Every structure is written in C-alpha cells, then in structure tokens.
C-alpha cells in the first residue's frame, strides 16, 4: 500500500514485458496475504518474508521461478534482500538510494561482480526522454565544454513536523531507517545523479551545509552543496523539503562554452536550449528531430504528455530488454537501451557520506571519496 510500490508495479507492467508472479508484500502477514490476493497472485507464491520468498523461489525449476526481484522497502531494508537475492542467483531492481551505507553499497557491488548478475537502480529521472536528449547533446559537444552546473530539488511536504501522521515522513526522518542524511538521502541523491548523468562528469570535491529547519526533527530537511567536477567545471546543488508550497520541483541547468540546457521535471516534455549567438530553442518530446536515444525512450507522438510513470517504465523496459537478451543469448545497443546500475548507487551513497563529512568539518571543502 506504499506509494512507491504501486509506482513500480505500474511501471513494470506498462510494456507487457514483465509479469508479477510472486511477492513478499508486507512485514504484516495478514496484509501480505491480502495484498497478494488483490494482485491475483497464486496462494503458494504469496510470501510473508523476503527470506521465505527467495528460498522457495530458488527451489523452483528454472522455467518456473521468478527472473528478478524488485526491492521497494525503506532504505534500511534494501541491503539484506538484495544480497540474498544475488546469492540465490536472482537479478535485482532496487529503489534508490541503493543501501543505508556506503559500505553496504560496496558489498553489493562486489557481489554483482562475483555473480555476473544485473542490478538496476531506479533513478527515475534518468528515464525521461529529454533528459537523455540533454545528455546526448552534451556528449556530442553541442554546447561545448561544460563550465557550470546548477541543480535544485525543492519540495514542501515536510514543512511541518508530520512524522507522527505519515509513515513515509516517519522513516525518512529516522536516521536508523533513512541513513546519515534526510534530505540528501531522499532527494539530494536524485539531484546529484542527474547532474552527473546529464553532464557526463564526476564530482571530485564538495562543500556542504545541512540544516534541520523544522524543530524536533531528527534529520536534516534542507541543504546546499558546492561542487567541483573532474573537468574543472563547478556547480551548485540545492535540496530542500521545507519549501512550503512546492510539489516536486526538480530542475537542472548546465552551461557550456557555446550555450546551455535547461530542464524542469514538472514540465518534462520540453528541453530549453540557450545559445550564445542565436535565438533560444525549445526541443519537444515526441518529435522526429530528437536523437536515437531520445526517440527510443519516447512513447507517444508530440503533444501527448508523458511523465513520471513513463520515465519509470523506460527504466523497466530497458532493464527487461537487457535481461531478455541475457537469457536468450542475444544483445542490445547499450548506448540506447541503458539504465542506472550499482555504480550510480555507490556514487550516490558516497555523495551522502561526503556531504555529511563536509557539513561536520571546519575546513568545509572535502575530496569526494569512495
């Protein structure tokens, strides 16, 4: 009954490539069984714990067992089921951030390398067609060498102390369940991932400030980070969940020598291109002039809005195509059919660790370390 669980189910089902065949759907046995029945799962494949599910699925014949597991639990409950799934031979799709700590993320990476299995991390915003188009434009040098990156993610839903009223707010502001940072773990990692994904650069140093704005909250709900990239470019990242009146306002601007790009998640079908020496352009989703990767990840003709669910579904579709190719021994064009992996998960966890380290440091600027 959680928001993100339903999102994953709808997204996975959108292209008819993935079938839900089993599930451990709640830590409450009665809710788990009721949920499984509501999704028409067979009684013998409705499980009451992830341990039971993985043990019993692994014991089934290869053509009967599940192919992969999706993990959509709170952050503290990511690592154990992911590790056990890999040990049992199952591919994994996992909600971000990948784990509760950097150490856990590194351990998962080691297990992925050891097993050769696929791990997909659902950094949703990389699934939007015009995010992919922006990345391709920068890869192709359309705006020249990147100089500046601005990314901000503003929400207002934690403007009051709602931890006792909302289960989602409760675990996201609990360090035992969410991790070392609240706002940076929840939405700052999305902003960080988007900055690196579109620019094609990697952060090498950062300087941060974290704040607890709402009185009696256990974790930060507001913060800002100065960034230095491996190309010499610099940037600013801002994330807050106490911007009263904001919904889910993620936006990014990247400037190069020749121009800049601008994309807003709440207006996802437009990509603004600002040129140094000619008029501004607006690229639109669903149009024939987009690149291969932009067209591949667009689902409807121009003027038919696509949004969050479709972006999520693009990640699942690309993952499913990659997994299907693995199973039948064929291949896919990984330049077009791509999705975030354990690498992005490690970089996201290292971002959180380094942001907290900088915030607590008197020197402020810290080397981005993994």
């Amino acid at each position: 009954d959680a928001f993100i669980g339903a999102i994953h189910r709808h997204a996975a089902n959108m292209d008819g490539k993935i079938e839900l065949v089993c599930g451990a759907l709640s830590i409450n046995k009665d809710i788990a069984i009721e949920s499984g029945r509501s999704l028409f799962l067979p009684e013998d494949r409705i499980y009451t714990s992830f341990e039971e599910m993985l043990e019993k699925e692994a014991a089934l014949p290869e053509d009967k067992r599940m192919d992969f597991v999706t993990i959509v639990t709170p952050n503290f409950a990511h690592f154990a089921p992911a590790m056990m799934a890999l040990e049992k031979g199952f591919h994994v799709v996992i909600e971000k951030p990948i784990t509760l700590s950097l150490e856990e993320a590194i351990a998962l990476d080691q297990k992925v390398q050891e097993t050769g299995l696929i791990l997909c991390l659902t950094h949703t915003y990389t699934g939007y067609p015009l995010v992919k188009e922006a990345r391709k434009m920068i890869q192709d040098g359309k705006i020249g060498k990147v100089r500046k990156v601005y990314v901000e993610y503003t929400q207002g839903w934690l403007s009051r102390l709602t931890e006792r009223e909302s289960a989602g707010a409760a675990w996201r502001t609990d360090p035992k369940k969410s991790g070392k940072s609240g706002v940076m773990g929840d939405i700052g990692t999305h902003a960080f991932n988007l900055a690196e994904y579109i620019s094609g650069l990697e952060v090498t140093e950062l300087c941060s400030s974290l704040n607890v704005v709402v009185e009696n909250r256990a974790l930060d709900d507001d913060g800002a980070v100065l960034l230095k990239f491996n190309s010499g470019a610099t940037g600013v990242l801002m994330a807050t969940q106490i911007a009263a009146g904001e919904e889910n306002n993620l936006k990014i601007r990247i400037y190069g020598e020749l121009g800049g790009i601008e994309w807003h998640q709440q207006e996802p079908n437009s990509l603004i291109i600002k040129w140094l020496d000619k008029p501004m352009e607006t690229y639109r989703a669903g149009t024939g002039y987009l690149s291969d990767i932009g067209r591949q990840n667009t689902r409807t003709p121009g003027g038919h809005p696509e949004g969050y669910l479709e972006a999520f579904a693009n990640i699942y579709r690309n993952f499913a195509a990659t997994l299907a190719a693995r199973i039948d021994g064929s291949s896919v064009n990984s330049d077009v059919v791509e999705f975030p992996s354990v690498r992005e998960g490690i970089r996201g966890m290292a971002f959180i660790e380094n942001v907290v380290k900088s915030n607590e440091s008197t020197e402020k600027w810290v080397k981005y370390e993994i």
Side-chain angles (χ1 to χ4, degrees):
D1 58 351
F3 153 74
I4 202 66
I7 293 294
H8 276 265
R9 289 197 304 275
H10 297 324
N13 189 55
M14 192 171 289
D15 292 286
K17 304 292 185 182
I18 297 168
E19 179 186 3
L20 182 65
V21 296
C22 65
L25 302 174
S26 175
I27 58 174
N28 181 301
K29 181 178 179 180
D30 293 336
I31 294 176
I33 294 171
E34 181 183 349
S35 297
R37 287 171 177 166
S38 73
L39 295 170
F40 305 103
L41 293 178
E43 293 286 333
D44 62 345
R45 297 183 80 178
I46 301 173
Y47 304 109
T48 55
S49 72
F50 75 83
E51 294 94 342
E52 179 194 19
M53 182 181 76
L54 293 170
E55 289 284 357
K56 290 186 176 179
E57 288 294 312
L60 293 174
E62 190 171 346
D63 63 339
K64 300 294 184 183
R65 69 175 70 124
M66 67 178 182
D67 293 304
F68 72 93
V69 60
T70 291
I71 299 168
V72 293
T73 47
N75 304 358
F76 76 97
H78 285 185
F79 177 74
M83 181 61 79
M84 185 175 179
L86 292 168
E87 289 172 343
K88 294 292 183 182
F90 296 112
H91 306 278
V92 172
V93 174
I94 191 166
E95 179 59 26
K96 54 62 53 195
I98 191 168
T99 52
L100 190 67
S101 69
L102 178 58
E103 291 75 18
E104 288 180 346
I106 291 172
L108 275 188
D109 181 45
Q110 292 171 344
K111 183 59 67 172
V112 167
Q113 301 304 321
E114 174 189 321
T115 60
L117 295 167
I118 303 170
L119 188 147
C120 169
L121 182 67
T122 53
H123 264 301
T124 321
Y125 304 108
T126 65
Y128 280 99
L130 289 178
V131 166
K132 295 184 181 296
E133 187 71 18
R135 173 181 167 88
K136 184 67 166 60
M137 290 187 71
I138 291 175
Q139 284 178 336
D140 290 347
K142 295 288 181 66
I143 66 169
K145 183 180 178 181
V146 171
R147 290 173 166 173
K148 201 76 183 179
V149 178
Y150 295 96
V151 60
E152 63 179 77
Y153 201 153
T154 52
Q155 296 178 337
W157 74 291
L158 292 180
S159 291
R160 292 192 291 263
L161 192 68
T162 56
E163 282 80 330
R164 294 181 181 179
E165 305 164 16
S166 165
W171 76 257
R172 283 177 173 84
T173 56
D174 181 348
K176 293 180 180 179
K177 295 181 178 180
S178 185
K180 291 184 176 181
S181 173
V183 70
M184 290 300 167
D186 191 21
I187 62 175
T189 46
H190 272 308
F192 169 78
N193 173 257
L194 200 64
E196 289 202 333
Y197 178 77
I198 296 179
S199 72
L201 305 176
E202 291 188 346
V203 171
T204 55
E205 294 181 63
L206 57 79
C207 173
S208 70
S209 173
L210 299 176
N211 310 298
V212 179
V213 175
V214 175
E215 190 175 356
N216 296 322
R217 180 158 283 154
L219 273 179
D220 53 87
D221 48 21
D222 172 76
V225 189
L226 298 176
L227 306 170
K228 292 182 181 179
F229 293 88
N230 56 350
S231 68
T234 59
V236 181
L237 183 153
M238 188 269 278
T240 186
Q241 292 173 307
I242 51 82
E246 289 288 0
E247 295 176 350
N248 196 54
N249 194 5
L250 170 63
K251 54 189 176 183
I252 185 167
R253 292 173 290 148
I254 300 179
Y255 298 97
E257 297 166 317
L258 306 176
I261 61 100
E262 183 173 338
W263 181 80
H264 297 236
Q265 195 273 152
Q266 292 184 172
E267 296 290 339
N269 298 297
S270 295
L271 175 66
I272 299 169
I273 318 296
K274 300 176 181 180
W275 299 109
L276 180 66
D277 54 2
K278 57 184 177 179
M280 181 177 73
E281 297 178 335
T282 300
Y283 282 29
R284 293 283 290 165
T287 49
Y289 51 74
L290 296 184
S291 66
D292 287 346
I293 194 168
R295 292 196 302 271
Q296 169 71 24
N297 290 278
T298 302
R299 295 167 173 275
T300 58
H304 296 75
E306 297 185 26
Y308 184 76
L309 272 175
E310 290 84 358
F312 226 117
N314 285 341
I315 293 174
Y316 266 105
R317 182 174 62 181
N318 290 343
F319 168 77
T322 303
L323 180 52
R326 172 79 66 90
I327 291 170
D328 64 24
S330 61
S331 62
V332 296
N333 181 356
S334 59
D335 290 335
V336 175
V337 181
E338 43 92 73
F339 51 85
S341 68
V342 68
R343 176 188 174 277
E344 286 82 0
I346 288 175
R347 290 200 62 78
M349 292 312 302
F351 169 73
I352 296 170
E353 299 262 348
N354 284 291
V355 163
V356 172
K357 179 181 177 182
S358 169
N359 181 65
E360 295 173 349
S361 169
T362 56
E363 297 179 2
K364 301 312 293 179
W365 279 102
V366 299
K367 297 286 187 182
Y368 182 92
E369 295 178 342
I370 296 178

